[in-house]
Amino acid sequence: MLIQIPRGTYDVMPEDSGVWQKIEEVARETCALFNYKEIRTPIFESTDLFQRGVGDTTDIVQKEMYNFTDRGERRLTLRPEGTASVVRAFVEHKLYGDPQQPVKLYYIGPMFRYERPQSGRNRQFTQFGAEALGSKDPAIDAEMIALALTFYRKLGLKKLKLVLNSLGDPESRKAHRDALINHFKPSIGEFCSDCQERLEKNPLRILDCKKDHGHPLMATAPSIIDYLTDEARDYFEQVKLTLDAIGITYELDPTLVRGLDYYNHTTFEIMGATGSAISTLAGGGRYNGLVSELGGPETAGVGFALSIERLLIALESEGITLQTGNQLDCYLAAIGAEAEKKAAVLLHQLRQNGIRADKDYLGRKVKGQFKAADREQAAYVLVIGDEELANGQANVKNMTDGSQERVAFDEVSTYLKNKINH
RNA sequence: GCGGUUAUGGUGAAGUGGUUAACACACCGGAUUGUGGUUCCGGCAUGCGUGGGUUCGAUCCCCACUAACCGCCCCA
């Protein structure tokens, strides 16, 4: 039996890789615009990093990690997300001592979670994320959001919705958590089994439940907003004011909870238009305790991550086709053995002059060579036969309008360079 | 981890318990002895996800497995 690709993974085939390259290019462009520098960290890390960073009680750590032991008995994990690694590197390389503060970083790369695959959910998926470490200015929370939105808009997405919430500082969170437990506990028997479990583990999640969302206690549940300390409330106000000032609209959702333990204060999600149930394109927020949790000095941090796979779904459902520009400039069609030799030489010359060129290697007839040129969307076809060899000129055909011209072999490169703009 | 649907060539898909598994697109060749995107003609699955079983015989019936898709949970 044929060996198949592992479950939940996929190949990006040549016909699609141009789109991926384009997306990555726009991501890098956007980061340059916002002055974020790339960081590349390993694809696997110590299991401990994620247990401590992401949080031991999260679903990610409890059931979705790809863990393995290497030959040296080290406990390692394929990274399920990017922030923990970035913070680890930040601490390990003592970037908190860098004169350039805050430290603004981005990454693009594969992440791994053991999950049941479905639309927009894979076991290996690709995240583009950014992190700003070392500043607790609410304006940088807004910058993070602006970066993600700018990236999406550059790609042409229009149907975007920003959802915003604040989880407050640890003090606020604790007060709210206690309030939730008190609110639901007396009648928890009326809720689904999942919610009963959530009561002690993570009462916030009860508010997310789809089964019980009609229960009267849902509407009257205490909102985190009411439990924010003055300081946390003021911080959140500043974030909103900054967003208002730069014209970014948002929707407040006090039930917006993120799945990773490290979040506090601002959390946000960007939703997009997708055909199916999953519409969260990006998620992020502030994680002020994480750096010290991982052994660094008390350092503030904000970040987001977005999935390229989900972005592709959103692009498709908005009917956007990215321009990739992988077309060939020139295809050489040769007739006869002598012409074949000449074509090989010309081909090399064209390429050295920066012209994307190719020729036939299957001994096809002229017609077949033209078909091949057509498939490659070649802008020009250079025909070389006995006649051309005799007078030292190639027959250059413009494939768009069908016109043909004779051009001396020596001038072909210059001729084509003038016609092609890239 | 749970539930539903599905699995035939490069692609989309029809089909039957029994000699050659429709059709369309794509591809290859020819008509057009040196010119693509139009037209016409021809070629193109010893094979119907994998492994078992029932049967004289299975792509079609039964079981298991695997995978994909959709939903739940959760998330990007």
Side-chain angles (χ1 to χ4, degrees):
Chain A
M1 192 184 155
L2 273 174
I3 294 172
Q4 291 178 326
I5 195 169
R7 180 143 210 224
T9 66
Y10 56 90
D11 299 307
V12 178
M13 299 306 284
E15 57 180 324
D16 300 318
S17 56
V19 171
W20 280 76
Q21 288 169 358
K22 179 72 188 176
I23 288 171
E24 286 166 15
E25 185 189 315
V26 173
R28 295 179 197 290
E29 241 169 50
T30 311
C31 286
L33 226 45
F34 282 73
N35 193 30
Y36 283 69
K37 306 270 176 23
E38 186 180 13
I39 180 167
R40 302 193 187 195
T41 61
I43 269 170
F44 59 88
E45 297 268 6
S46 282
T47 302
D48 291 347
L49 173 64
F50 301 115
Q51 285 178 338
R52 281 170 55 190
V54 177
D56 245 333
T57 64
T58 58
D59 274 18
I60 291 180
V61 170
Q62 284 193 329
K63 47 184 201 188
E64 295 174 2
M65 296 212 299
Y66 273 93
N67 300 317
F68 64 99
T69 309
D70 74 3
R71 287 164 190 263
E73 300 299 314
R74 283 170 276 257
R75 291 171 60 240
L76 300 168
T77 297
L78 296 181
R79 61 181 186 192
E81 60 102 48
T83 304
S85 299
V86 171
V87 171
R88 192 223 81 233
F90 174 86
V91 172
E92 199 161 336
H93 295 273
K94 300 182 168 58
L95 291 186
Y96 46 80
D98 197 286
Q100 287 273 13
Q101 297 288 335
V103 175
K104 307 208 290 185
L105 304 166
Y106 78 90
Y107 57 85
I108 303 174
M111 304 296 163
F112 305 84
R113 291 183 200 173
Y114 189 90
E115 291 190 277
R116 189 78 176 260
Q118 57 182 277
S119 170
R121 167 179 296 169
N122 306 284
R123 291 186 173 180
Q124 174 173 338
F125 60 103
T126 313
Q127 282 191 339
F128 159 40
E131 320 283 353
L133 294 141
S135 167
K136 51 181 177 30
D137 187 338
I140 207 149
D141 298 44
E143 175 174 292
M144 221 67 248
I145 292 168
L147 168 45
L149 287 173
T150 304
F151 167 71
Y152 285 135
R153 298 233 169 85
K154 273 173 174 276
L155 290 167
L157 288 183
K158 299 258 183 323
K159 297 173 187 161
L160 296 166
K161 186 171 81 176
L162 169 64
V163 183
L164 205 60
N165 190 28
S166 173
L167 300 177
D169 47 34
E171 203 184 318
S172 318
R173 284 183 81 167
K174 172 138 194 349
H176 180 232
R177 189 192 138 90
D178 292 346
L180 280 172
I181 295 177
N182 289 335
H183 179 75
F184 286 113
K185 199 161 194 174
S187 328
I188 193 65
E190 298 165 25
F191 287 78
C192 72
S193 57
D194 284 340
C195 285
Q196 298 187 16
E197 263 182 59
R198 288 173 180 135
L199 183 67
E200 292 297 333
K201 213 172 95 183
N202 195 346
L204 265 178
R205 290 240 170 264
I206 296 177
L207 301 174
D208 256 351
C209 185
K210 292 180 179 72
K211 275 186 212 148
D212 293 324
H213 81 276
H215 194 285
L217 280 184
M218 288 297 202
T220 56
S223 169
I224 177 73
I225 299 296
D226 299 326
Y227 290 81
L228 294 180
T229 59
D230 289 346
E231 207 181 329
R233 188 193 322 276
D234 185 54
Y235 188 90
F236 193 38
E237 280 311 309
Q238 292 302 316
V239 173
K240 289 189 281 184
L241 284 174
T242 313
L243 288 172
D244 292 339
I246 58 180
I248 290 177
T249 57
Y250 50 85
E251 196 173 284
L252 293 175
D253 180 359
T255 68
L256 175 69
V257 186
R258 316 243 57 255
L260 294 79
D261 278 358
Y262 51 61
Y263 285 117
N264 44 52
H265 288 286
T266 321
T267 58
F268 64 91
E269 278 186 18
I270 298 171
M271 325 283 272
T274 61
S276 68
I278 292 169
S279 62
T280 300
L281 258 34
R286 184 159 275 283
Y287 45 87
N288 285 349
L290 186 58
V291 175
S292 57
E293 171 64 31
L294 294 176
E298 198 59 55
T299 307
V302 229
F304 76 87
L306 63 86
S307 147
I308 308 288
E309 288 80 1
R310 289 188 186 175
L311 165 61
L312 289 171
I313 294 171
L315 285 170
E316 196 185 337
S317 68
E318 286 203 34
I320 297 164
T321 312
L322 298 178
Q323 207 55 48
T324 59
N326 276 347
Q327 302 85 350
L328 207 54
D329 297 327
C330 179
Y331 193 93
L332 298 178
I335 305 141
E338 279 310 305
E340 200 70 46
K341 287 181 198 159
K342 184 67 187 172
V345 174
L346 277 177
L347 178 64
H348 189 66
Q349 275 175 18
L350 291 174
R351 290 169 171 171
Q352 298 309 306
N353 282 291
I355 292 158
R356 297 175 187 177
D358 208 350
K359 71 181 284 296
D360 168 73
Y361 291 105
L362 294 176
R364 280 190 274 238
K365 297 179 182 173
V366 191
K367 186 190 176 87
Q369 298 190 50
F370 266 88
K371 276 196 167 189
D374 208 42
R375 256 196 301 271
E376 301 279 3
Q377 297 177 37
Y380 292 86
V381 172
L382 227 149
V383 185
I384 306 161
D386 292 341
E387 208 180 307
E388 288 79 4
L389 286 175
N391 55 30
Q393 292 178 316
N395 186 42
V396 183
K397 178 165 183 175
N398 179 326
M399 295 297 274
T400 313
D401 60 22
S403 65
Q404 309 198 42
E405 255 186 278
R406 294 281 169 143
V407 179
F409 288 141
D410 293 345
E411 291 159 24
V412 165
S413 287
T414 355
Y415 175 86
L416 287 176
K417 269 183 111 167
N418 289 334
K419 298 277 186 185
I420 290 151
N421 46 346
H422 63 70

